[in-house]
Amino acid sequence: TTVDKAENNFCIMCKKHYLLQCLQELEHGVAYRETERVEEEILLSCQQFSEAFNRPAAESGGGTAPGNDAHRDSGVKIPNFHIRVKMHKSPLGFRFVAGSRNAPLTFVSQWLTMVLKACLPVADTLWGRVASKIPGAGPKEASWVITDSEEISRLCRSVNKSRGDRDPMPLAAYDFTTMYTKLCLSDLKERLASLITAVFEHQIATSRTKLLLVNKYGHHEWIVNLRAGIPDSTRVFSAQQIIEAISFLVDNTYVRFAGKLWHQVIGIPMGTNCAGFLANLYCFTYELDFLKRVVEDKNYILAQEMLRTRRYIDDLIAINCTHLPGKLYLPEGIYPSQILSLVLAADGETVPYMDLLIRQNRRRGLITAIYDKRLDDKYADIKVIRYPDTQSILATKAKCGIVTSQMYRFLRRCSLATDFVYNTALVLHRLMGKGYQTSLLWAQVRRFLVKHPDVYGGREMGVWCNRIRNKIEALVCGSCVPGPMGQVVK
């Protein structure tokens, strides 16, 4: 089976132990119940819903689902239940996964992914309307929901600008424990239905648009009425159709194991396409409700702390918050503790969050750099496969493009030039160690520097190349060693 946090690595596991762990989760856990429904019945009902959901707008007057090829059979099957091994845990842990390349409701889940993504900006607007009543808030305050760590870098820069001093501030990172497997499905459906209704009501009130048009590439548009000439690759959704699709999806999650079928009655499968958006928006509803209560009570100190908090699905970061940690759970706080429970992952003046390390100094304030938890000691026994082999069938341009993409990532996340140089050198060092052609890699570096001559105050290309080259030499000779929180100089 595969290794958790390192999906390119494989683990050989005792077959009997593997089967016993799966049966333990299915038979004695709370998330699954053995069903009496037969596979043909389940597949038929799912495929009938998918087909109705997948009709082009011209046929249905407003349909839903990806592609124009949702059809019966074509290898559709109920997902298999399997394990990923958490090698970094002591003792070893397991992540239970329902996996299938072609599950019965894949089309529905794919379309819901694009629909919910299109609803996120409107949900942000609903948040901003409440947040605008907080003294000192900006005109368009973002919600806690983020899509990548670059938004944390921007938040840190914003906090630095708003502060008159550079004294250390408290930082705290939290993890939701088993978020996906503990979600109450009835509460999930009710809250998302309320949010989708509010999103569409906002659109009707502000622009009279009452339908959401989405194509299979993810582009969307809010429209007033159904119009002619909509291509087959595009679907039009009403609020009711989205609500019905979410309800059907979460109510019809089944897995297969040991010749039996099991119905998931608590939580949602991590592997379904829209799982991240469902969990994100579900948490958002609690956060928005709490913000409304705080603003109504005129507790502006707590409200301002909420503006310095962000969440990426099940990872939460609070910057300079002293009151918020005591308000995490209902009835006076944010989340229901029996469903959404958090644990403190890290706190202090230096905190890792996602792929960022947030640290502080008295001159610059908050500083962000790259954090790689796979370099932590608990991952020492896992030889993580990071980049494609030189013999891969990928085009040479695509393989060498790793350098460019990573340099963009470092530029957007590293506050200091030294961190940018070190991380760029580390990528080059690893690729050279895999046998990549050195001249092609340096060509990518030079092309990037020519395109961005003003990075970190601007320096000549030769200066940048020399600094990167010197850092590579330090990595080769061992005077500089990679660590989870950056370089360790010996």
Side-chain angles (χ1 to χ4, degrees):
T1 185
T2 54
V3 178
D4 191 52
K5 309 295 184 185
E7 283 71 18
N8 291 326
N9 296 61
F10 291 90
C11 171
I12 298 176
M13 184 175 174
C14 169
K15 184 176 181 180
K16 181 178 179 181
H17 185 60
Y18 182 99
L19 296 174
L20 288 175
Q21 290 297 326
C22 289
L23 288 173
Q24 176 73 18
E25 174 68 14
L26 291 169
E27 294 179 345
H28 303 290
V30 297
Y32 294 92
R33 295 287 182 271
E34 187 175 352
T35 180
E36 296 181 355
R37 296 184 69 184
V38 296
E39 182 174 6
E40 290 75 14
E41 177 192 349
I42 296 171
L43 292 177
L44 180 61
S45 65
C46 290
Q47 288 168 355
Q48 287 175 341
F49 184 86
S50 295
E51 289 171 354
F53 185 74
N54 193 55
R55 288 174 186 162
E59 296 180 16
S60 64
T64 313
N68 50 4
D69 49 359
H71 50 276
R72 296 190 191 189
D73 71 42
S74 68
V76 173
K77 60 180 182 180
I78 293 177
N80 292 315
F81 191 74
H82 65 276
I83 284 176
R84 285 182 183 169
V85 183
K86 296 182 178 181
M87 298 288 292
H88 57 286
K89 297 291 185 180
S90 182
L92 294 180
F94 303 101
R95 185 184 299 278
F96 298 97
V97 181
S100 175
R101 187 176 62 180
N102 199 5
L105 295 175
T106 295
F107 287 118
V108 175
S109 185
Q110 288 172 343
W111 276 114
L112 280 177
T113 299
M114 293 179 281
V115 167
L116 297 177
K117 184 177 181 180
C119 291
L120 267 177
V122 185
D124 255 351
T125 302
L126 297 177
W127 175 280
R129 291 173 64 181
V130 180
S132 63
K133 301 174 184 177
I134 303 171
K140 293 183 179 181
E141 288 289 348
S143 69
W144 287 10
V145 179
I146 62 173
T147 56
D148 60 49
S149 60
E150 184 184 347
E151 297 180 48
I152 301 299
S153 297
R154 290 199 293 266
L155 176 63
C156 289
R157 291 194 293 268
S158 175
V159 171
N160 286 338
K161 290 179 181 178
S162 64
R163 297 178 69 215
D165 59 67
R166 290 293 185 264
D167 294 335
M169 63 179 70
L171 305 173
Y174 298 87
D175 282 337
F176 286 88
T177 58
T178 57
M179 170 189 279
Y180 292 95
T181 56
K182 284 191 175 182
L183 294 180
C184 174
L185 298 187
S186 59
D187 191 45
L188 173 71
K189 292 186 292 183
E190 180 181 343
R191 285 191 157 269
L192 288 186
S194 177
L195 178 61
I196 295 299
T197 301
V199 165
F200 275 77
E201 287 177 350
H202 171 79
Q203 288 299 115
I204 293 172
T206 56
S207 60
R208 297 190 302 158
T209 53
K210 57 185 179 181
L211 296 173
L212 176 60
L213 183 148
V214 182
N215 69 15
K216 66 180 181 181
Y217 304 107
H219 304 300
H220 72 276
E221 178 186 354
W222 292 91
I223 59 176
V224 177
N225 291 305
L226 192 63
R227 61 195 183 205
I230 296 178
D232 288 345
S233 61
T234 301
R235 299 292 180 269
V236 178
F237 302 93
S238 66
Q240 187 60 35
Q241 288 167 330
I242 298 171
I243 292 169
E244 289 175 359
I246 293 173
S247 180
F248 190 89
L249 178 69
V250 300
D251 283 340
N252 288 273
T253 299
Y254 295 87
V255 297
R256 179 207 308 275
F257 186 77
K260 298 179 180 179
L261 299 180
W262 306 79
H263 183 206
Q264 186 164 359
V265 294
I266 297 178
I268 56 176
M270 290 180 60
T272 191
N273 299 74
C274 63
F277 288 97
L278 292 175
N280 243 341
L281 292 173
Y282 177 67
C283 292
F284 171 83
T285 61
Y286 282 106
E287 294 152 6
L288 180 60
D289 287 349
F290 181 66
L291 180 66
K292 290 177 179 177
R293 297 200 307 270
V294 169
V295 172
E296 287 174 1
D297 294 341
K298 297 185 178 180
N299 187 348
Y300 294 130
I301 294 177
L302 181 56
Q304 288 170 347
E305 289 188 359
M306 293 189 70
L307 302 182
R308 299 190 295 271
T309 305
R310 295 292 185 271
R311 178 180 52 77
Y312 179 78
I313 306 179
D314 59 351
D315 293 318
L316 188 144
I317 180 78
I319 298 176
N320 197 18
C321 297
T322 55
H323 299 85
L324 187 63
K327 298 288 186 179
L328 293 177
Y329 300 115
L330 293 169
E332 296 181 355
I334 307 173
Y335 306 111
S337 58
Q338 70 275 16
I339 300 175
L340 298 171
S341 178
L342 294 105
V343 294
L344 183 64
D347 64 344
E349 296 182 13
T350 300
V351 165
Y353 180 72
M354 297 175 65
D355 66 340
L356 287 182
L357 179 69
I358 307 173
R359 58 182 192 265
Q360 307 177 58
N361 69 31
R362 292 188 178 274
R363 187 168 73 90
R364 295 179 178 270
L366 294 172
I367 297 172
T368 56
I370 299 298
Y371 173 75
D372 188 352
K373 66 180 178 182
R374 293 177 295 181
L375 293 174
D376 198 281
D377 290 341
K378 62 184 179 182
Y379 291 90
D381 295 332
I382 306 175
K383 186 179 179 182
V384 180
I385 302 172
R386 296 179 182 272
Y387 304 117
D389 192 85
T390 53
Q391 302 302 314
S392 167
I393 61 173
L394 289 173
T396 301
K397 184 177 180 180
K399 288 183 285 189
C400 292
I402 294 170
V403 176
T404 304
S405 64
Q406 290 298 296
M407 290 182 75
Y408 274 111
R409 173 177 168 239
F410 303 147
L411 177 63
R412 292 164 180 163
R413 289 162 176 77
C414 294
S415 302
L416 304 179
T418 52
D419 292 318
F420 173 80
V421 168
Y422 159 70
N423 284 287
T424 301
L426 183 58
V427 170
L428 293 175
H429 172 63
R430 286 170 171 164
L431 291 175
M432 291 174 185
K434 292 181 74 74
Y436 279 68
Q437 191 172 337
T438 304
S439 60
L440 294 178
L441 299 179
W442 278 107
Q444 296 290 326
V445 173
R446 293 189 182 94
R447 189 175 294 114
F448 178 89
L449 294 174
V450 167
K451 194 171 183 179
H452 302 279
D454 57 343
V455 295
Y456 299 101
R459 290 178 177 87
E460 293 182 358
M461 182 188 298
V463 174
W464 283 116
C465 291
N466 285 335
R467 291 184 65 181
I468 295 171
R469 190 175 288 109
N470 291 338
K471 188 58 66 176
I472 293 174
E473 292 174 358
L475 289 165
V476 171
C477 70
S479 61
C480 173
V481 179
M485 296 189 178
Q487 58 183 324
V488 179
V489 179
K490 294 185 177 181

